[in-house]
Short mmCIF file of all heavy atoms in Angstrom, two decimals:
data_model
loop_
_atom_site.label_atom_id
_atom_site.label_comp_id
_atom_site.label_asym_id
_atom_site.label_seq_id
_atom_site.Cartn_x
_atom_site.Cartn_y
_atom_site.Cartn_z
N LEU A 209 20.34 38.58 2.85
CA LEU A 209 19.05 39.24 2.99
C LEU A 209 19.22 40.87 2.89
O LEU A 209 18.27 41.48 2.71
CB LEU A 209 18.44 39.01 4.30
CG LEU A 209 18.00 37.49 4.55
CD1 LEU A 209 17.53 37.29 5.92
CD2 LEU A 209 17.06 36.98 3.50
N ARG A 210 20.48 41.27 3.00
CA ARG A 210 20.78 42.66 2.98
C ARG A 210 19.91 43.48 3.96
O ARG A 210 19.22 44.42 3.58
CB ARG A 210 20.57 43.26 1.53
CG ARG A 210 21.52 42.56 0.52
CD ARG A 210 21.32 42.98 -0.91
NE ARG A 210 22.13 42.28 -1.80
CZ ARG A 210 22.04 42.29 -3.15
NH1 ARG A 210 21.14 43.08 -3.69
NH2 ARG A 210 22.91 41.61 -3.97
N PRO A 211 20.03 43.14 5.25
CA PRO A 211 19.12 43.81 6.17
C PRO A 211 19.71 45.16 6.56
O PRO A 211 20.80 45.57 6.26
CB PRO A 211 19.32 42.88 7.39
CG PRO A 211 20.71 42.34 7.32
CD PRO A 211 20.94 42.09 5.85
N LYS A 212 18.87 45.98 7.11
CA LYS A 212 19.19 47.30 7.59
C LYS A 212 20.07 47.22 8.88
O LYS A 212 20.93 48.00 9.08
CB LYS A 212 17.92 48.12 8.00
CG LYS A 212 17.06 48.54 6.77
CD LYS A 212 15.81 49.28 7.20
CE LYS A 212 15.02 49.65 5.95
NZ LYS A 212 13.77 50.35 6.40
N LEU A 213 19.80 46.22 9.75
CA LEU A 213 20.56 46.06 10.97
C LEU A 213 20.90 44.56 11.03
O LEU A 213 20.21 43.69 10.70
CB LEU A 213 19.66 46.38 12.17
CG LEU A 213 19.40 47.83 12.50
CD1 LEU A 213 18.52 48.02 13.70
CD2 LEU A 213 20.63 48.66 12.67
N LEU A 214 22.10 44.38 11.64
CA LEU A 214 22.69 43.04 11.87
C LEU A 214 22.81 42.84 13.35
O LEU A 214 23.42 43.58 14.03
CB LEU A 214 24.11 42.92 11.18
CG LEU A 214 24.68 41.52 10.98
CD1 LEU A 214 23.66 40.67 10.20
CD2 LEU A 214 25.98 41.64 10.18
N LEU A 215 22.15 41.73 13.92
CA LEU A 215 22.16 41.48 15.32
C LEU A 215 22.85 40.20 15.55
O LEU A 215 22.59 39.16 14.94
CB LEU A 215 20.73 41.42 15.78
CG LEU A 215 19.73 42.54 15.31
CD1 LEU A 215 18.37 42.29 15.91
CD2 LEU A 215 20.26 43.88 15.88
N PHE A 216 23.79 40.21 16.57
CA PHE A 216 24.55 38.97 16.90
C PHE A 216 24.20 38.67 18.40
O PHE A 216 24.46 39.52 19.31
CB PHE A 216 26.02 39.26 16.79
CG PHE A 216 26.54 39.56 15.43
CD1 PHE A 216 26.56 40.82 14.93
CD2 PHE A 216 27.00 38.49 14.63
CE1 PHE A 216 27.00 41.05 13.60
CE2 PHE A 216 27.46 38.67 13.35
CZ PHE A 216 27.46 40.01 12.82
N ASP A 217 23.68 37.43 18.60
CA ASP A 217 23.42 37.02 19.99
C ASP A 217 24.43 35.95 20.45
O ASP A 217 24.19 34.79 20.24
CB ASP A 217 21.97 36.49 20.03
CG ASP A 217 21.53 36.10 21.41
OD1 ASP A 217 22.24 36.53 22.39
OD2 ASP A 217 20.51 35.50 21.57
N GLU A 218 25.49 36.44 20.99
CA GLU A 218 26.61 35.53 21.48
C GLU A 218 26.97 34.50 20.38
O GLU A 218 26.97 33.32 20.64
CB GLU A 218 26.33 34.91 22.81
CG GLU A 218 25.92 36.01 23.84
CD GLU A 218 26.35 35.50 25.27
OE1 GLU A 218 27.37 34.87 25.41
OE2 GLU A 218 25.58 35.87 26.16
N PRO A 219 27.31 34.94 19.16
CA PRO A 219 27.46 33.99 18.05
C PRO A 219 28.64 33.09 18.13
O PRO A 219 28.75 32.03 17.42
CB PRO A 219 27.59 34.91 16.80
CG PRO A 219 28.17 36.20 17.39
CD PRO A 219 27.58 36.32 18.76
N LEU A 220 29.62 33.45 18.98
CA LEU A 220 30.89 32.65 19.02
C LEU A 220 31.00 31.71 20.25
O LEU A 220 32.04 31.07 20.42
CB LEU A 220 32.03 33.55 18.97
CG LEU A 220 32.10 34.59 17.82
CD1 LEU A 220 33.39 35.47 17.84
CD2 LEU A 220 32.00 33.95 16.42
N SER A 221 29.93 31.68 21.06
CA SER A 221 30.02 30.91 22.31
C SER A 221 30.28 29.40 22.17
O SER A 221 30.83 28.74 22.98
CB SER A 221 28.70 31.09 23.11
OG SER A 221 28.48 32.49 23.51
N ASN A 222 29.88 28.90 20.94
CA ASN A 222 30.06 27.37 20.74
C ASN A 222 31.36 27.05 20.16
O ASN A 222 31.61 25.83 19.90
CB ASN A 222 28.91 26.86 19.92
CG ASN A 222 27.58 26.83 20.65
OD1 ASN A 222 27.58 26.81 21.85
ND2 ASN A 222 26.47 26.91 19.92
N LEU A 223 32.30 28.03 19.85
CA LEU A 223 33.51 27.73 19.23
C LEU A 223 34.60 27.62 20.28
O LEU A 223 34.58 28.21 21.34
CB LEU A 223 33.78 28.85 18.21
CG LEU A 223 32.79 29.09 17.10
CD1 LEU A 223 33.22 30.28 16.31
CD2 LEU A 223 32.55 27.88 16.32
N ASP A 224 35.64 26.85 19.92
CA ASP A 224 36.81 26.77 20.85
C ASP A 224 37.57 28.08 20.83
O ASP A 224 37.36 29.03 19.96
CB ASP A 224 37.79 25.65 20.45
CG ASP A 224 38.38 25.84 19.07
OD1 ASP A 224 39.02 26.83 18.78
OD2 ASP A 224 38.19 24.93 18.18
N ALA A 225 38.44 28.24 21.79
CA ALA A 225 39.07 29.62 22.11
C ALA A 225 39.83 30.15 20.90
O ALA A 225 39.72 31.32 20.56
CB ALA A 225 39.96 29.45 23.29
N LYS A 226 40.65 29.33 20.17
CA LYS A 226 41.42 29.90 19.07
C LYS A 226 40.53 30.20 17.91
O LYS A 226 40.82 31.23 17.30
CB LYS A 226 42.41 28.65 18.63
CG LYS A 226 43.39 29.14 17.61
CD LYS A 226 44.45 28.09 17.31
CE LYS A 226 45.51 28.58 16.29
NZ LYS A 226 46.52 27.53 16.03
N LEU A 227 39.55 29.43 17.70
CA LEU A 227 38.58 29.79 16.54
C LEU A 227 37.74 31.00 16.86
O LEU A 227 37.42 31.81 16.01
CB LEU A 227 37.75 28.60 16.24
CG LEU A 227 36.85 28.67 15.02
CD1 LEU A 227 37.67 29.02 13.83
CD2 LEU A 227 36.06 27.40 14.88
N ARG A 228 37.50 31.19 18.19
CA ARG A 228 36.75 32.37 18.55
C ARG A 228 37.50 33.68 18.18
O ARG A 228 36.95 34.68 17.68
CB ARG A 228 36.45 32.40 20.05
CG ARG A 228 35.33 31.41 20.43
CD ARG A 228 35.01 31.53 21.85
NE ARG A 228 34.31 32.80 22.18
CZ ARG A 228 33.59 33.03 23.32
NH1 ARG A 228 33.57 32.14 24.19
NH2 ARG A 228 33.03 34.10 23.51
N VAL A 229 38.78 33.58 18.50
CA VAL A 229 39.67 34.75 18.26
C VAL A 229 39.66 35.01 16.71
O VAL A 229 39.59 36.18 16.29
CB VAL A 229 41.10 34.55 18.72
CG1 VAL A 229 42.04 35.65 18.25
CG2 VAL A 229 41.07 34.41 20.24
N GLN A 230 39.84 33.98 15.94
CA GLN A 230 39.91 34.12 14.49
C GLN A 230 38.56 34.69 13.93
O GLN A 230 38.54 35.64 13.14
CB GLN A 230 40.09 32.79 13.86
CG GLN A 230 40.10 32.78 12.33
CD GLN A 230 40.25 31.41 11.67
OE1 GLN A 230 40.71 30.50 12.31
NE2 GLN A 230 39.80 31.25 10.48
N MET A 231 37.44 34.14 14.48
CA MET A 231 36.10 34.45 13.91
C MET A 231 35.74 35.98 14.36
O MET A 231 35.13 36.65 13.56
CB MET A 231 35.05 33.54 14.47
CG MET A 231 35.00 32.23 13.75
SD MET A 231 34.67 32.38 11.97
CE MET A 231 33.05 33.21 11.91
N ARG A 232 36.16 36.33 15.51
CA ARG A 232 35.88 37.73 15.88
C ARG A 232 36.56 38.78 14.96
O ARG A 232 35.92 39.79 14.62
CB ARG A 232 36.15 38.07 17.34
CG ARG A 232 37.60 38.14 17.61
CD ARG A 232 37.88 38.56 19.17
NE ARG A 232 37.42 37.60 20.07
CZ ARG A 232 38.13 37.17 21.17
NH1 ARG A 232 39.27 37.78 21.44
NH2 ARG A 232 37.62 36.29 21.97
N HIS A 233 37.75 38.46 14.48
CA HIS A 233 38.44 39.31 13.63
C HIS A 233 37.73 39.31 12.25
O HIS A 233 37.63 40.35 11.54
CB HIS A 233 39.87 39.01 13.49
CG HIS A 233 40.70 39.26 14.69
ND1 HIS A 233 40.90 40.57 15.12
CD2 HIS A 233 41.38 38.50 15.56
CE1 HIS A 233 41.67 40.54 16.23
NE2 HIS A 233 42.00 39.31 16.51
N GLU A 234 37.30 38.13 11.84
CA GLU A 234 36.59 37.94 10.53
C GLU A 234 35.36 38.68 10.54
O GLU A 234 34.90 39.41 9.60
CB GLU A 234 36.40 36.55 10.19
CG GLU A 234 37.66 35.82 9.92
CD GLU A 234 37.41 34.32 9.40
OE1 GLU A 234 36.25 34.05 9.14
OE2 GLU A 234 38.48 33.64 9.27
N ILE A 235 34.47 38.62 11.63
CA ILE A 235 33.24 39.30 11.68
C ILE A 235 33.46 40.74 11.68
O ILE A 235 32.76 41.58 10.97
CB ILE A 235 32.48 38.87 12.92
CG1 ILE A 235 31.94 37.38 12.85
CG2 ILE A 235 31.32 39.77 13.24
CD1 ILE A 235 31.27 36.87 14.03
N ARG A 236 34.44 41.23 12.49
CA ARG A 236 34.73 42.67 12.47
C ARG A 236 35.10 43.22 11.12
O ARG A 236 34.60 44.25 10.64
CB ARG A 236 35.89 42.98 13.44
CG ARG A 236 36.33 44.43 13.56
CD ARG A 236 35.23 45.34 13.96
NE ARG A 236 35.71 46.62 14.22
CZ ARG A 236 34.95 47.67 14.44
NH1 ARG A 236 33.70 47.63 14.37
NH2 ARG A 236 35.53 48.89 14.72
N GLY A 237 36.00 42.54 10.37
CA GLY A 237 36.35 42.93 8.99
C GLY A 237 35.22 42.96 8.10
O GLY A 237 35.12 43.87 7.30
N LEU A 238 34.47 41.87 8.24
CA LEU A 238 33.26 41.71 7.27
C LEU A 238 32.21 42.79 7.51
O LEU A 238 31.64 43.40 6.63
CB LEU A 238 32.69 40.41 7.33
CG LEU A 238 31.63 40.00 6.35
CD1 LEU A 238 32.17 40.14 4.98
CD2 LEU A 238 31.15 38.57 6.71
N GLN A 239 32.01 43.08 8.84
CA GLN A 239 30.99 44.15 9.14
C GLN A 239 31.34 45.51 8.60
O GLN A 239 30.62 46.29 8.12
CB GLN A 239 30.79 44.15 10.65
CG GLN A 239 29.71 45.14 11.12
CD GLN A 239 30.21 46.54 11.44
OE1 GLN A 239 31.43 46.74 11.76
NE2 GLN A 239 29.30 47.45 11.50
N LYS A 240 32.66 45.80 8.73
CA LYS A 240 33.18 47.09 8.17
C LYS A 240 33.11 47.07 6.63
O LYS A 240 32.78 48.10 6.01
CB LYS A 240 34.64 47.31 8.64
CG LYS A 240 34.71 47.80 10.09
CD LYS A 240 33.88 48.99 10.33
CE LYS A 240 33.76 49.40 11.71
NZ LYS A 240 32.77 50.52 11.93
N GLU A 241 33.39 45.95 6.01
CA GLU A 241 33.43 45.88 4.60
C GLU A 241 31.99 46.10 3.98
O GLU A 241 31.91 46.82 3.02
CB GLU A 241 33.94 44.50 4.13
CG GLU A 241 33.98 44.36 2.57
CD GLU A 241 34.44 42.99 2.12
OE1 GLU A 241 34.98 42.27 3.00
OE2 GLU A 241 34.34 42.68 0.96
N VAL A 242 31.06 45.48 4.57
CA VAL A 242 29.62 45.68 4.10
C VAL A 242 28.98 46.86 4.69
O VAL A 242 27.98 47.44 4.08
CB VAL A 242 28.81 44.46 4.33
CG1 VAL A 242 29.44 43.25 3.64
CG2 VAL A 242 28.64 44.10 5.79
N GLY A 243 29.50 47.42 5.74
CA GLY A 243 28.97 48.65 6.33
C GLY A 243 27.58 48.60 6.95
O GLY A 243 26.82 49.59 7.09
N ILE A 244 27.17 47.46 7.47
CA ILE A 244 25.87 47.25 8.14
C ILE A 244 25.93 47.58 9.58
O ILE A 244 26.86 47.09 10.33
CB ILE A 244 25.33 45.83 7.97
CG1 ILE A 244 25.21 45.44 6.49
CG2 ILE A 244 24.07 45.64 8.69
CD1 ILE A 244 24.71 44.00 6.28
N THR A 245 25.10 48.46 10.04
CA THR A 245 25.02 48.81 11.49
C THR A 245 24.67 47.55 12.26
O THR A 245 23.75 46.78 11.91
CB THR A 245 23.88 49.88 11.64
OG1 THR A 245 24.16 51.02 10.78
CG2 THR A 245 23.85 50.33 13.09
N SER A 246 25.34 47.32 13.35
CA SER A 246 25.34 46.06 14.08
C SER A 246 25.27 46.24 15.62
O SER A 246 25.89 47.11 16.12
CB SER A 246 26.51 45.14 13.65
OG SER A 246 26.55 44.93 12.28
N LEU A 247 24.54 45.20 16.20
CA LEU A 247 24.48 45.10 17.72
C LEU A 247 25.05 43.73 17.89
O LEU A 247 24.75 42.78 17.31
CB LEU A 247 23.15 45.20 18.27
CG LEU A 247 22.40 46.53 18.04
CD1 LEU A 247 21.00 46.52 18.70
CD2 LEU A 247 23.25 47.70 18.60
N PHE A 248 25.99 43.64 18.95
CA PHE A 248 26.65 42.43 19.29
C PHE A 248 26.52 42.09 20.72
O PHE A 248 27.11 42.98 21.60
CB PHE A 248 28.09 42.46 18.74
CG PHE A 248 28.91 41.21 18.73
CD1 PHE A 248 29.15 40.61 17.51
CD2 PHE A 248 29.41 40.60 19.93
CE1 PHE A 248 29.83 39.31 17.46
CE2 PHE A 248 30.09 39.47 19.87
CZ PHE A 248 30.41 38.81 18.64
N VAL A 249 25.85 41.07 21.18
CA VAL A 249 25.75 40.74 22.54
C VAL A 249 26.87 39.72 22.96
O VAL A 249 26.97 38.76 22.26
CB VAL A 249 24.41 40.11 22.79
CG1 VAL A 249 24.33 39.41 24.17
CG2 VAL A 249 23.29 41.18 22.86
N THR A 250 27.55 39.99 24.02
CA THR A 250 28.54 39.08 24.56
C THR A 250 28.77 39.29 25.98
O THR A 250 28.46 40.34 26.51
CB THR A 250 29.90 39.25 23.75
OG1 THR A 250 30.83 38.33 24.27
CG2 THR A 250 30.38 40.65 23.95
N HIS A 251 29.15 38.20 26.67
CA HIS A 251 29.70 38.33 28.09
C HIS A 251 31.17 38.32 28.20
O HIS A 251 31.69 38.42 29.21
CB HIS A 251 29.10 37.17 28.84
CG HIS A 251 29.60 35.77 28.51
ND1 HIS A 251 28.95 35.07 27.53
CD2 HIS A 251 30.66 35.10 28.89
CE1 HIS A 251 29.62 33.95 27.36
NE2 HIS A 251 30.61 33.98 28.22
#
């Protein structure tokens, strides 16, 4: 959709611990690659 802002509402909560670690690195790398301003909610 090429949005102005990217919002994440605890997107990794349903994944197992190992996959969560992998996905957080992927999300971080991808967010930097596309350069979209983002808010990320997590506990």
Side-chain angles (χ1 to χ4, degrees):
L209 298 174
R210 298 175 184 172
K212 291 178 181 177
L213 289 177
L214 197 52
L215 310 178
F216 295 90
D217 187 9
E218 304 213 35
L220 307 181
S221 296
N222 289 336
L223 303 179
D224 62 61
K226 187 174 182 179
L227 188 54
R228 286 185 69 163
V229 172
Q230 177 186 338
M231 284 300 299
R232 72 174 65 137
H233 289 298
E234 291 187 11
I235 288 175
R236 175 60 169 169
L238 188 57
Q239 186 267 337
K240 284 303 174 188
E241 181 180 348
V242 298
I244 299 181
T245 305
S246 303
L247 300 181
F248 192 103
V249 164
T250 181
H251 63 272

